[in-house]
Structures are given as C-alpha cells and as structure tokens.
Amino acid sequence: MKTSVRLSLVASAALALTFAMAAPHARADDPGITPTSIKIGMIGSLTGPAAAWGWPTINGARMVYDAVNAQGGINGRKIELVVEDEQCAPPMALAAAKKLIHRDKVFMLHGGSCSGSILATRDEVLANEVPMMILVATMDKIVQEKPNDYIYRAFLPGSFDGKIIADFIATMPNVKRVVVVGHADEHAGARYGTLTEGLKKHGVELLGLETIETELTDATAQVLKIKDAKPDAVVLVGRPAASAVFLKDAHRLGLDVPMIGATVVDLQDLADRIGGTDALKNMYVVAVYKGPLGSEAMTPWQEMLKKYYPSDKVQASSFLGTSGALAVVEGLKKAGPDLTRAKFVEAMNGIQNLDGGPMACSLSFSAADHDGCRTGVMWGVRDGKIVVIGDRWKN
Amino acid sequence: MLDITGLRAGYGAHEVLKGLSMRVGKGQVVALLGGNGAGKTTTLSAIMGLIPSQGGEIAFESNSIQGQPAHRVFRHGLSLVPQWRELFTDMSVQEHLELGAIACASRGDLDARVASALDYFPELRAHLGRRAGTLSGGQQQMVAIARALTARPKLLMLDEPSMGLAPLVVRELGRTIKRLNEAGTSVLLVEQNMHLALGVASYVYVIRAGKIITHGPTGDFHDEKELFHSYIG
Amino acid sequence: MEIATLLSVGLSNGCLYGLVGLGLVLVYSSQGIPNFAHGELFMAGAFLAYTAIVLLGLPYFLSFLIAVVGIGLMGMLLEWLAIRPISLHRSLGRASSEVAIVLATVGLAIVLKGLARIPWGDSVRNLPTAFTTQTVTIGGVAIATQRLLIVAVTLVLTVAISVFFARAPLGKKMRATAQNPTGAKLIGIHTSNIYSATWALAAACGAIAGVLAAPLIFLHPDMGTRMLLKGFAAACLGGFGSVTGVLLGGVLMGVVEIFAGRYIATSMMDIFAPIIIILVLLFWPQGLFGARRAARV
C-alpha cells in the first residue's frame, strides 16, 4: 500500500516535470520571454581593474530600458534586467555569460566593458544562439570575426579609433614622428593595428610603443624615455586613470608635444582627474559623442540619467552604452509582438540610419556587418574649454 | 598566604591535576617535589593563570585569584620564573630588569629595584648590555630570576631553577633563595633536585599523578632515598 | 638632471612602499603572521581623509590626523573582532591558529574592500595634495611637493617609531610580547592589549601611507591591493624584522624599479615586486637588511 502510494507520487511528479519541461518547447518560445516580460542579462566590470567603467556604462544603457518600461514596455512586455560582474577577467566573464544563458535563461545579453574578457564569452554566446549587444568593449574581432550571426555593437570599435587618429595626425603640420603610449591589453591592442597602418599610409614614422600599466601611479620613467626619442606627437591609448597620471607627469617634466588620445579617455574626465586643463592644452581626443557634456545635444541624455539614477555622477563614460540600448529597443520593437530570437536578429539586421542618441554616429546594421557605429570626431582644448575640432586638425 | 584546595586543571580534555591541595605560608620556602609528568609545572601554570583551572579554589592572601589571567595574578604579587626561563632573546639584560617592573604601578624607584635585584646576582653587572640570547644557561637563569625580582613579588615561584645548571651554580642558587627568603619573600620551589629543595625549604609537598601524596616539614623527609621512592612510586 | 628626477620619484615611491611594509612588519613581528588586510587599511585611511577634506571641508592636516587616529582605532577594533577570538581559541594548536588568523586577514581584506564599495562605488576620486604649490624646482629638478612630504613624513616616522620601541614603555612591552608572549605575560603584560595596540599602530602607519599616496594614485576601493604587494616586497627585502630594514627595502625597491623602467623596459616596473619577493625568499630568507632574523621589531 505504502509503496504504491509512493510510486504513484513519483510517477505524477515525473509526469508534471515532463510537462513543465516540455511546455516551453510546445509553445516554441525562446527563453526569457513571457507575455509581459523580456529578460536581458547585462555583464559589466563592476569590480576589478576596469571597475570605473562598470556601473556608469551599465546605468547609461539601463536608463533607456527604464524609460521604455515607464512607457509600458515593448509590445506589452517590460524589460527585466539581470546584472552580472565580469571583473575584467575572461573566466569571470565566461562564468557570467553561462549563468545568464543557462540559469537565468535570458532572452539576450547586453554587456562587456573589457574587450579581453568579453571575447572569452563569444563562443558560448554564438553556440547557444543568444543575441548579444556589446556594451562598450571595443576590440574589433568580438563583432567582426566570422561567423557571427548574433553579436552586435552600436559603439565605435577600437580599430576605427586608430584610423581616426592616424587620419587626424596626417592633417597636423610638422608631425612626422610619433610615439605610441598605451597598455599591453586587448583593449589597447584593438587600436594598434589600424593606427600603425594608418600612420604608415600617411608617411608618419612610428618611433616606438611605450607600455604603461593600467594601474600606473607614476610615469616619470616613460615620459623621460619618450623625451629622449624626440617625437613630434604622442598617441595615448590608456585608460583614464593611467592617462591622467601620464599627462600629469608629461606636463611636469616638460613633454609638450601634441598628444592624441583614443576614445578610451574623455577630455572633461581627464581635466577633472588632473585638476584643470593646463596639462591638456595640447591634447586631442577621439570623441564618440555629439558634443561635450552640458552641450545641447547631450542634455536630454544627461537628464534621463539624472531621472533614473540620480546618485550617478554624470561623466563621460556614462553614455557609452546608451546607443546599444537604443538599438536593442529598436530591434525589439521591429521584431513585433511574436518575439523570438530569430525575429529579433532579423529586425536588428534591418536597422538603417538609426539616430545614435548621444553618439555622433548613426546606427546601421546588416546581416554581414554587425558593427553599427563607424564614425567619431576629434575634440580639443581651446582657451581652457573643450571644443569639437572635427576630423581635421585646425588651430 | 597561598591556599589551594581541590585544584583540577590540565590541557584541553587531558586533566593533569586531580584535586590538588596545598598551602604556602607567609615567609615560608615551600618545595613541591615530584617526578616527570606529576603535574608540578601544571600547578604553577594554573596558579599563575597561564592555563585555566577546571575546579577547586586558589586564594592568595584570602582573595580568590582563580580564573584570573596571568597579568592580573601578577598584580597580586605573584611572580613565576618558568622552567624555560622565557627570556626576550634580543633584549639586553638591563632591559630585562627594567621590564620586570614595567607593569608595576609604582615605577619611580626603578633604579632601586634594578639595583636590589642585581645585589642578588652581582655577576650580571658585567653583562648589563648583552643580549639575553648570548648568555650562558646559568646567567640566563639569573636574568630570569632577577627579572621576576624587580617586580618585588610577595610570592616567588621557581620552576626547576636548577635544570641544566652546573652543581656549583646550583649551590649558589640555593644560597640566593635563602637570602631572598630572609629578605621577606615567600618562595614556592618546584624541583626534581631533592638536595637543593630539602636544603632551602621548610615544608615539602610531594605530588604524584596530579595529587599531593604526602607533605610535612622538611625534617620529616630526612631520608632522601625514601622520599625519592615515594614520588617515583 | 634626469638621474635626479628619477631618484626623487624612486625615493618617494620607495618611502611609500616602506611605510606600507612597516605596518606589515609590525603585525608580523608581534603575531608572526602577514596581515593581508593591510592594503585595505591603507585604502580606508585615504578615504577617511577624503571624507574629512573634501566632503566635510576640514583643513588638510586636521583631516590627516583624523584619518590616522580613526584608522588606528579601526585596526584595534579589527584585532578585537576578528583576530583575538581566533588566537584565544584554545582548541586550536599554535600552528593552526596562525593559519586561521592569516585566513581571517584575507577575509578582512575582502570584507573591507566590499564595504568600501557601498558608499564609494567604483568611481575614481582625487584626494587633494597637502600643499597648493604642486611642484618646486630644486637644482633644476621639478619635484612634486607631495613627494617631498612623503619622504619627510617617512623619515620622521621611522625615527619616531625606532625611538618608541627603544624607549617608550609601550614600545618595550610590544617588543617583549613579540619576542616571547609567555615571558611577557609573566611580567604582568596584558598581551592581548599589546596585540590591539600593535594593530592600532600598524593601521595608523597604513593610514599615513594611504593619505600620502592618494593624491598620486587616485582613490579607489582597490587601491590597496597593489600597494600591499609593494609593501610586502619591501618587508621581504628588509627581512620582515626591523623598522629601518623595511624602509631601506622600500627605498631600494622604489629606486631600482624606476631606473629599471627607464633604462631597461617600463613594462618591467610592475613585475618587480613579485620577482623581488620570490628571489629574496629563495636566496636571502632573512632579507637584505635583516641580518638578525630573530631581531623582531
């Protein structure tokens, strides 16, 4: 008697389980979608060496989703976010992606603030056919390597940085010899190729690459070495903290040639870190935004951030992830009410000339090219103020 | 002065003292004799508060000191010169003597304290600047005792002070203990060297397996051989 | 000229490493364990000073004092909360209780870093320098005033601590306790309190280093991790034993590091600390400046 009761219990449990497992397949839905919600997994460097990029970039993207949710969501579905930390470390990034895909069963991913670590998630993401929007990682091959049917980016990739810098240097008078200062990580590595190529094309001699640590505390040795080489200009491909240290020491030690920074840094942020624009008089930076913070083009986005994340500091890195979220929202809208991953991918591939929000570029994707943002603009300091210089040098 | 009744103590689950009772009267030199592992050092450690006791009572000058940590027991006027001397190897002899009184409330007379400790061990005067680790065994024993003396203890407890010392030095030690006692310090002497113990003590306790098996005035223990057999069993 | 510039930076960096190493040496000498949470005390000192200077608008040197005293008290509290209960746990043998304490300090490091993230998040902040004049030119060499301050404070502190250990009653008690805890108990020293005091002193040294270093390296909850490694290397060079040894170790490392960076390869600079730790432990386990191994403190 007892045994038979237990047996039937086991049987019915097994039956229930089978149904429970079969149910989603029966409805042919992809994970992470219910009639009222879409689950998106976000991955960022919340801790670790690139932690300064973590929350600001995530919140700059999240605010777009928050705004969409506030207006009732997309086709009746509100966006639910699960945020994971990748600590700028490949194994952590992979673990985060696996957790989001298999345990949290998200519909798609939006993340990556460290090129080296997010690259480690690529195979897992593609193998599971999970759509992914890169948050702010700039390494080309994350998106450009084939095959890639699922990973998108709405942010200027690193190689374009290199090209924009090389083209800009070519327009500078009397600049024939340059030194590159930068980190030895994937993040900086993404830029070196096109930079070297571009400089060569324009007949500018590359004197050498001086490595700096991401946690640089003093750049005396590097600055003195560079002074020895007597370059006409210096290209700086460093993270913000290290760049600030380098620029401070360059100023102190009298290295006063023009310096051109990659998108990794922002002039206003550098000025805040260094405490003034004195050390930045001769600094040019590839910018991705339509204008400096506080300019008309940026105001709506700054206000959006203040509305949803009032405790966040409005800083240069705040809106780097915003265009990605705008593209995701557009893709979800276009995919229609019967949302599947396949429909979403198809919709993404059809986006053309979508306004990049705070970004200077407009976004266009296709099945063959998932890098939607391809242009940037050079900013510089004139009379202690940050101004948009354009893509050619001018005094 | 020191009254111990039914003391039980040990290390973790291992009980060494199984109801030990003994007393040291004011001005007395009392010897506690026993074989290896009988519980002599454990008794001193328990009195001094270096190990916790699990039962019984320890009173000093009618105040219970049981359960108090060593630095509080010290304040009542008890000093222990441990078997392994426990010197500060890299500090000088002078520093040891000064440190002996460092926890005493009145240290204004520090020089006098050091001088009177040195009166018992004039040999140390020549070595005041030397590091304790470089001294001979006998000199180290002197430093250990002198360090205890600068605290001016009411009761001085010595744990096998003769260990490792040459016979001549042991004889000198016996004389020093007597002088100390004459100056008013009570002494509890733990020894395996019966000759030294019987030479200075006025009262003897014999401990075996954590209990006092016999005790009485030194005069009762004339036959050293018999005494030896009593604690070897 | 260039040599002088490099020396000024190497020397001041080295002083910082020495200061951080000093805190490690103090705890190691008294309890025989490396305090892995020391980097976080360094970080906490910098943030406390930041709170006082930037958020509360207090004068610099008052804030400095607040940070040093505050973190000193915090060190005492940490010892009382996290270290003492383990060391008093009688069921553990001496060896296993040391392991447990080391692990406790690793845990403390993680907890403190995590706690720092709650108010401070991950944005990078600037601590102002002590003087409004950023650089002075001495013999044609532009030297940051903050670096001069670092060297001056380190020298004064090293002398003060040496005198403290040689003369002050508390310093003597600390040395006695470090060399022989049982012997110390027998002469009436409350050794647990000495451990607290040692932690307080070590933490205060960490806080001083943190406040001095912060204007150069920016404030961040992770700022102590790298410094701990450098301090550790300085302490290894100094033989983990003497106050002057660790300072010399730090200075040697700071100077070698910057000259190697300038004349060999800048990419080498940050791997110097781990290399030094390994080499010293392999070939000179007593340290280069620690001839008397047993000479704790």
Side-chain angles (χ1 to χ4, degrees), chain B residues 181-210:
Chain B
N181 183 240
E182 282 156 17
T185 311
S186 311
V187 176
L188 172 55
L189 174 67
V190 159
E191 260 305 338
Q192 292 212 51
N193 183 328
M194 262 181 300
H195 191 70
L196 170 67
L198 296 180
V200 296
S202 60
Y203 201 90
V204 174
Y205 286 87
V206 178
I207 181 173
R208 193 165 83 199

Side-chain angles (χ1 to χ4, degrees), chain C residues 17 38 65 68 85 89 104 113 117 132 140 146 164 166-167 181 183-184 191-192 197 225 251 255-256 264-265 278 287:
Chain C
Y17 302 160
H38 193 64
L65 194 70
V68 173
H89 209 288
K113 218 185 278 190
R117 284 223 163 76
T132 41
Q146 187 71 16
F164 168 76
R167 305 236 184 281
T191 51
S192 296
T225 313
V251 166
V255 171
V256 169
I264 304 173
I278 292 167

Side-chain angles (χ1 to χ4, degrees), chain B:
Chain B
M1 176 174 234
L2 177 71
D3 290 278
I4 302 173
T5 32
L7 179 63
R8 293 191 295 114
Y11 304 91
H14 175 56
E15 193 178 78
V16 179
L17 302 182
K18 295 159 183 156
L20 177 136
S21 300
M22 65 180 292
R23 64 181 302 274
V24 179
K26 199 169 166 58
Q28 266 189 317
V29 176
V30 171
L32 176 62
L33 305 178
N36 276 330
K40 304 188 298 291
T41 298
T42 309
T43 306
L44 295 186
S45 299
I47 296 170
M48 200 64 205
L50 290 174
I51 60 167
S53 42
Q54 278 119 29
E57 177 57 40
I58 309 171
F60 187 71
E61 293 184 322
S62 311
N63 301 312
S64 172
I65 55 166
Q66 194 195 351
Q68 294 186 5
H71 65 272
R72 300 248 323 261
V73 173
F74 173 88
R75 249 158 248 168
H76 289 278
L78 285 88
S79 276
L80 168 64
V81 178
Q83 197 171 0
W84 303 106
R85 288 146 202 172
E86 310 290 3
L87 298 181
F88 312 117
T89 34
D90 279 306
M91 296 175 91
S92 71
V93 172
Q94 175 79 31
E95 282 180 307
H96 275 82
L97 300 181
E98 289 172 6
L99 273 168
I102 201 158
C104 299
S106 60
R107 295 195 300 121
D109 54 347
L110 187 62
D111 291 343
R113 284 170 186 258
V114 171
S116 62
L118 282 172
D119 279 345
Y120 289 99
F121 305 103
E123 189 190 331
L124 290 180
R125 284 187 213 277
H127 305 292
L128 287 175
R130 271 176 70 184
R131 293 193 297 126
T134 65
L135 299 172
S136 73
Q139 289 165 334
Q140 289 194 0
Q141 187 61 268
M142 292 177 199
V143 174
I145 299 173
R147 178 179 71 181
L149 288 181
T150 52
R152 300 208 166 131
K154 295 172 187 164
L155 174 64
L156 180 67
M157 300 185 282
L158 301 165
D159 194 354
E160 302 210 17
S162 72
M163 197 180 65
L165 301 188
L168 209 69
V169 184
V170 173
R171 215 173 303 150
E172 181 62 37
L173 186 68
R175 277 196 286 274
T176 307
I177 294 173
K178 272 188 184 151
R179 276 180 62 203
L180 273 168
N181 183 240
E182 282 156 17
T185 311
S186 311
V187 176
L188 172 55
L189 174 67
V190 159
E191 260 305 338
Q192 292 212 51
N193 183 328
M194 262 181 300
H195 191 70
L196 170 67
L198 296 180
V200 296
S202 60
Y203 201 90
V204 174
Y205 286 87
V206 178
I207 181 173
R208 193 165 83 199
K211 277 185 175 158
I212 299 299
I213 51 161
T214 175
H215 60 96
T218 314
D220 295 357
F221 296 91
H222 273 312
D223 189 343
E224 282 189 23
K225 234 177 218 149
E226 190 190 317
L227 178 60
F228 179 76
H229 283 296
S230 79
Y231 70 72
I232 293 300

